[in-house]
Amino acid sequence: MSRLLRLFRIGFVVCRYRLDEFLHLVRLPLPLKILLWLAPWHLFPRPRLTRGERLRMALEELGPIFIKFGQLLSTRRDLMPDDIANALRQLQDQVPPFPGDQARAIVERDLRAPVTELFDYFEAEPMASASVAQVHAARLPGGQEVVVKVIRPGIDKTIRQDIALMYLMAELLQRYWEDGHRLRPVEVVSDYEQTIFDELDLQREAANASQLRRNFDQSSLIYIPEVFWDYISARVLVMERIHGIPVADVEALNAAGVNLKVLAEKGVEIFFTQVFRDSFFHADMHPGNIFVNAENPQDPRYIAIDFGIVGTLTPEDQSYLARNLLAFFKRDYRQVAVLHIQSGWVPATTRVNEFEAAIRTVCEPIFEKPLRDISFGQFLLRLFQTARRFDMTVQPQLVLLQKTLLNVEGLGRQLYPDLDLWQTAHPFLENWMKRRIGPQGLFKAFEQQLPTWLEQAPEMPQMLHDAIGQLRALDRFNQSQESGISRLRQDLRRNESGRRRYWIATLCFVAAWLGSDQATLSWLQQLPLQSWLLAAIGIYLILPRRTDS
């Protein structure tokens, strides 16, 4: 019943904000079009707002789960028109906090001890509240200042209900939207489902934070707070409390004397280090999750929080991405097209020349700008939009990467408008490629594989013997197959020859009959000699042949 009420609620919001405008994107059967024409939204006046603003306000009214889904869609500019994507980026995840007593009860139930034993101090009033969780300040018995993140009670039930409705709408879109099969809205909802349920598991977030902390241990680029594993559960996360200047507060950074050029370039270096060195990157690097340690203003250091969403790339994706970026800045558009086909991002049947021409049309105007004005994020966005016309399938790992790059680039340009992203990224990419395919990379691969080879060395003679035996068996199998194919060909030839003899015989009989004198009663006795000859030839052809087996 609650799901039905929720569906009615969604229908009311759709009517109120006249979201029927989006239905022109969908090809519906005539009876359904008639029903929609009679739908009640025509009773509501159309608000004097853009379609993007109306969609944003509708999602905010539907609640936190739809808000987060809209925030995800705002990063999918390969799916959304620019005006809608820009409007969805303004979605605010502002949710009233739940009572501190409930947070205490969840902590005590999950950690199996009273809050007074777990902490010297626990602030009942939350520091921040979001759709999935809220954060409280606390202090451990040893005096360590920490934050306690607690999952909102009952949120999993709400998420399941709303996602079930999202699946319903996605299935309708996939069935009736002309781009539905290629853009796979059901898979988009599935990715969102996985993302949001990953955020509900704070043990996973703690593991992500620990991995990033190891990756940047003793680094001057970024600091990752410490996780206290004795205080971790699926619904409770206790982490070191950090103090820093919010990265979006440019006035405070200037007041602290922070070198914004160095800070912006460090942000780019952090991104490429995570993507290409570690293949493990913080995929939610919006300004609310990034702070700055300004103790050394000329060498500032980032501080990151909220590790619920991370991204990874396979070695193949890493290589293709790096080679794509390098080819792009060398204006080698054919190489970009070939790499897209080799990677499987576009179908293998794509014509390279046509794809190359389309990429050139999109990318050439970009190079009319100074390098410092070239946006990597916009380049990837335009590249993906161009590839849409060539049936590029959705690549979730690249979507997260594009979202992160847009955040990092936008943040860097906000800090330092003259940021030359290419100047920072180019040496990094070239050095990474050299390390990957040069002597250093080969030696590293050999070093990594050597223990496995040594472990398998005693088994190699038997494995070699088995492999030779399998090759011999395969050879015998191929020979038997060739023999069978040869017999089949002979049978086909005999059948073809038999069919030819049958038709020739038939024609001969017809010719003999037509050549007979049917005027007399004893026509068989009066057949001309040539008719008898033709009939004899026909009978001879019909008779079975002896063939060698």
Side-chain angles (χ1 to χ4, degrees):
M1 187 64 182
S2 58
R3 184 176 295 182
L4 184 60
L5 292 175
R6 183 63 168 159
L7 190 59
F8 276 116
R9 172 66 176 166
I10 293 173
F12 173 78
V13 172
V14 168
C15 293
R16 180 180 179 184
Y17 291 100
R18 295 301 305 273
L19 300 184
D20 55 295
E21 178 181 344
F22 294 97
L23 290 177
H24 76 277
L25 300 173
V26 182
R27 293 180 178 178
L28 300 175
L30 183 59
L32 195 53
K33 285 185 177 181
I34 294 173
L35 287 176
L36 292 176
W37 185 76
L38 298 173
W41 50 59
H42 298 287
L43 302 176
F44 291 79
R46 188 180 297 275
R48 294 183 178 180
L49 300 168
T50 66
R51 61 178 184 174
E53 290 172 333
R54 283 185 278 121
L55 179 59
R56 174 182 61 81
M57 294 174 69
L59 293 175
E60 287 177 345
E61 188 166 327
L62 288 173
I65 309 307
F66 281 86
I67 289 173
K68 293 188 75 67
F69 186 62
Q71 290 172 337
L72 172 69
L73 288 179
S74 71
T75 68
R76 297 301 309 273
R77 291 176 177 263
D78 56 326
L79 305 181
M80 298 285 109
D82 287 342
D83 62 317
I84 295 177
N86 291 332
L88 294 182
R89 287 187 67 183
Q90 300 173 21
L91 281 166
Q92 299 297 315
D93 191 6
Q94 296 176 345
V95 181
F98 57 91
D101 291 342
Q102 290 187 20
R104 290 172 62 99
I106 293 172
V107 171
E108 291 179 344
R109 185 163 55 250
D110 277 40
L111 301 185
R112 300 180 180 179
V115 166
T116 53
E117 292 182 11
L118 295 168
F119 306 102
D120 283 349
Y121 169 78
F122 182 88
E123 178 62 57
E125 191 70 22
M127 299 171 57
S129 177
S131 56
V132 170
Q134 67 185 30
V135 177
H136 295 258
R139 184 171 59 247
L140 295 179
Q144 174 69 55
E145 296 289 333
V146 296
V147 293
V148 183
K149 187 173 183 179
V150 185
I151 294 294
R152 184 174 290 273
I155 189 65
D156 54 340
K157 181 180 179 181
T158 303
I159 289 174
R160 293 183 193 281
Q161 289 179 348
D162 285 352
I163 285 182
L165 295 174
M166 288 180 186
Y167 270 119
L168 175 62
M169 292 183 281
E171 287 167 0
L172 291 173
L173 282 175
Q174 187 153 313
R175 182 173 181 180
Y176 295 113
W177 188 17
E178 58 183 3
D179 277 343
H181 289 288
R182 186 180 61 78
L183 298 179
R184 304 175 185 174
V186 174
E187 288 189 19
V188 173
V189 175
S190 178
D191 291 339
Y192 171 65
E193 180 183 24
Q194 181 177 349
T195 297
I196 196 164
F197 277 110
D198 284 351
E199 288 192 63
L200 288 180
D201 185 355
L202 295 184
Q203 284 182 316
R204 180 186 292 270
E205 180 175 343
N208 293 339
S210 293
Q211 179 68 55
L212 286 168
R213 183 177 171 86
R214 283 196 302 275
N215 291 346
F216 287 94
D217 187 32
Q218 305 299 321
S219 171
S220 63
L221 296 174
I222 189 170
Y223 180 78
I224 308 297
E226 181 182 0
V227 172
F228 296 94
W229 281 100
D230 291 338
Y231 300 85
I232 302 296
S233 74
R235 297 192 299 168
V236 178
L237 169 64
V238 177
M239 181 178 286
E240 173 188 1
R241 184 174 182 179
I242 55 94
H243 299 276
I245 302 172
V247 73
D249 192 349
V250 179
E251 291 184 5
L253 293 173
N254 281 321
V258 172
N259 188 326
L260 297 184
K261 180 177 184 294
V262 171
L263 186 64
E265 290 175 348
K266 279 192 171 186
V268 177
E269 187 177 351
I270 290 169
F271 170 78
F272 283 97
T273 300
Q274 290 183 92
V275 171
F276 292 103
R277 187 195 70 182
D278 305 327
S279 186
F280 189 84
F281 58 94
H282 190 320
D284 200 16
M285 294 185 70
H286 61 76
N289 289 338
I290 307 295
F291 298 83
V292 177
N293 182 342
E295 291 179 359
N296 184 353
Q298 294 306 308
D299 189 23
R301 191 183 190 189
Y302 283 95
I303 306 172
I305 62 171
D306 197 351
F307 310 99
I309 306 175
V310 297
T312 60
L313 294 177
T314 65
E316 293 77 14
D317 281 338
Q318 283 181 311
S319 178
Y320 284 124
L321 182 65
R323 291 161 66 189
N324 261 299
L325 293 174
L326 289 170
F328 165 68
F329 278 97
K330 293 176 182 177
R331 304 197 191 193
D332 189 350
Y333 303 123
R334 186 172 188 82
Q335 176 73 351
V336 175
V338 169
L339 287 169
H340 271 67
I341 296 171
Q342 288 179 350
S343 66
W345 297 346
V346 296
T349 55
T350 303
R351 297 183 63 178
V352 176
N353 291 341
E354 292 181 5
F355 194 24
E356 177 190 0
I359 294 172
R360 180 182 295 106
T361 302
V362 169
C363 294
E364 269 302 309
I366 295 176
F367 284 100
E368 296 301 318
K369 303 177 182 178
L371 279 176
R372 67 184 183 185
D373 294 336
I374 294 177
S375 166
F376 265 27
Q378 291 299 323
F379 156 64
L380 287 178
L381 171 62
R382 291 192 178 187
L383 195 58
F384 293 162
Q385 288 175 336
T386 302
R388 279 180 60 184
R389 295 193 288 110
F390 294 84
D391 292 327
M392 178 176 178
T393 55
V394 175
Q395 304 287 329
Q397 75 280 16
L398 298 183
V399 170
L400 273 179
L401 182 79
Q402 176 189 314
K403 166 195 169 185
T404 307
L405 182 55
L406 284 170
N407 283 338
V408 169
E409 190 174 42
L411 184 60
R413 293 268 165 84
Q414 181 180 350
L415 295 171
Y416 185 68
D418 291 334
L419 173 67
D420 187 343
L421 199 70
W422 179 237
Q423 184 178 0
T424 306
H426 188 197
F428 188 97
L429 290 174
E430 288 195 329
N431 290 333
W432 181 82
M433 288 296 293
K434 289 177 182 177
R435 289 194 302 270
R436 181 177 175 86
I437 63 177
Q440 182 180 352
L442 293 175
F443 178 77
K444 184 178 180 181
F446 177 81
E447 186 179 28
Q448 289 175 343
Q449 296 295 330
L450 183 61
T452 303
W453 295 339
L454 292 175
E455 183 181 357
Q456 295 176 349
E459 303 174 8
M460 289 300 294
Q462 184 62 41
M463 293 172 64
L464 182 61
H465 179 270
D466 293 343
I468 293 173
Q470 290 175 0
L471 287 173
R472 288 174 176 170
L474 182 62
D475 185 56
R476 290 193 296 269
F477 176 77
N478 288 337
Q479 289 177 1
S480 65
Q481 290 292 99
E482 289 177 1
S483 176
I485 292 172
S486 177
R487 287 195 297 270
L488 180 61
R489 286 174 177 168
Q490 290 177 5
D491 291 342
L492 289 174
R493 284 196 295 268
R494 285 197 297 271
N495 291 337
E496 183 67 24
S497 176
R499 283 196 298 269
R500 285 198 298 268
R501 291 199 303 273
Y502 172 79
W503 286 111
I504 293 172
T506 302
L507 291 173
C508 288
F509 280 122
V510 170
W513 180 76
L514 291 175
S516 65
D517 184 6
Q518 301 180 20
T520 64
L521 295 175
S522 56
W523 61 275
L524 287 174
Q525 297 176 355
Q526 298 179 10
L527 287 176
L529 179 61
Q530 63 269 27
S531 295
W532 285 108
L533 288 174
L534 287 172
I537 293 171
I539 293 170
Y540 172 77
L541 292 172
I542 288 176
L543 290 175
R545 301 288 183 181
R546 179 183 176 185
T547 58
D548 296 333
S549 57

